[in-house]
Amino acid sequence: MHALFERVEWSDGVDVDSVVESWKASAPRDRAFEEAVSAHFRRAMASGEVQKALARPSGRVELWREKPFELMVGNQWISGAFDRVVIVRHPDGRALSAAILDYKTNRLDEANSVEHWTGHYTPQMALYGWALARMLRMEPSDIQLQLLFTQKAQLAAVAPDSARKAMEGLIKPVSASEARSARRRSKGS
């Protein structure tokens, strides 16, 4: 599913059939799998909510798709990849705001609702927001954190307060000696 969404720059004018055919040609897969994933993607792309989430915003924007990142959090090395990031830039180039969109293919039902999975993924999204804020030299509060549940074609926002609380639990204060030790370890590798 990610490989299909990665091929979508903006929803306005996207040729869904071309995206699917390009994906199918990229690597051999089981035909039944290809058909199931293609149908899932087509349903998601037909949704107004997904169309809106993937639309090009006005102004000067930059789009990242499947962009990897690495950084130090306390004395831990963190690696990840943003599924989709839209950065709105000032004419001078600095980032004004950003939105992170993470694709989720979870099966949804009464026991595992969008709300359940949004809570489950809040720490991950909080970390992504914090990482992006550091990368772009902006405040985490200027970054929207969104999950796109592809099965239901539903967008869910991670509440800023929930993200902040999750980050408080993830980032523990580090003493100056621990920070120096972590820097030495990272330079040595």
Side-chain angles (χ1 to χ4, degrees):
M1 191 61 56
H2 282 75
L4 284 161
F5 277 106
E6 181 182 1
R7 288 172 162 76
V8 176
E9 184 174 24
W10 305 110
S11 59
D12 357 346
V14 68
D15 182 344
V16 173
D17 292 331
S18 293
V19 170
V20 169
E21 291 310 312
S22 167
W23 171 72
K24 285 181 177 180
S26 68
R29 293 173 195 83
D30 174 79
R31 183 157 173 74
F33 173 78
E34 278 186 353
E35 292 308 315
V37 172
S38 298
H40 183 138
F41 177 71
R42 288 178 200 281
R43 278 192 309 275
M45 288 301 296
S47 159
E49 193 162 356
V50 172
Q51 289 284 321
K52 186 177 176 184
L54 302 179
R56 187 185 200 292
S58 60
R60 183 175 175 199
V61 296
E62 182 178 343
L63 174 65
W64 296 349
R65 292 173 285 176
E66 296 298 326
K67 175 133 175 123
F69 67 89
E70 296 184 357
L71 65 139
M72 293 292 294
V73 177
N75 60 358
Q76 287 187 299
W77 191 260
I78 304 292
S79 297
F82 300 112
D83 289 350
R84 184 179 182 94
V85 175
V86 177
I87 305 161
V88 176
R89 294 200 178 268
H90 187 275
D92 68 11
R94 68 188 151 86
L96 295 173
S97 65
I100 298 172
L101 183 63
D102 203 61
Y103 306 116
K104 298 300 181 191
T105 58
N106 302 69
R107 293 208 184 278
L108 302 171
D109 55 35
E110 286 183 32
N112 296 298
S113 64
V114 167
E115 293 77 19
H116 164 81
W117 287 115
T118 300
H120 175 80
Y121 289 118
T122 292
Q124 173 196 357
M125 295 303 291
L127 184 61
Y128 281 14
W130 185 81
L132 185 62
R134 290 193 62 194
M135 292 167 71
L136 297 176
R137 294 185 175 95
M138 60 190 305
E139 292 298 317
S141 59
D142 293 327
I143 299 172
Q144 293 178 1
L145 306 174
Q146 302 170 321
L147 299 163
L148 177 57
F149 292 93
T150 61
Q151 181 190 15
K152 297 260 186 191
Q154 187 174 345
L155 195 65
V158 173
D161 283 347
S162 298
R164 184 183 46 74
K165 288 175 185 169
M167 277 311 296
E168 289 170 359
L170 293 172
I171 298 178
K172 296 172 182 36
V174 178
S175 70
S177 65
E178 289 174 320
R180 282 190 299 275
S181 176
R183 280 194 297 275
R184 281 194 299 273
R185 282 194 306 274
S186 69
K187 287 180 183 177
S189 48

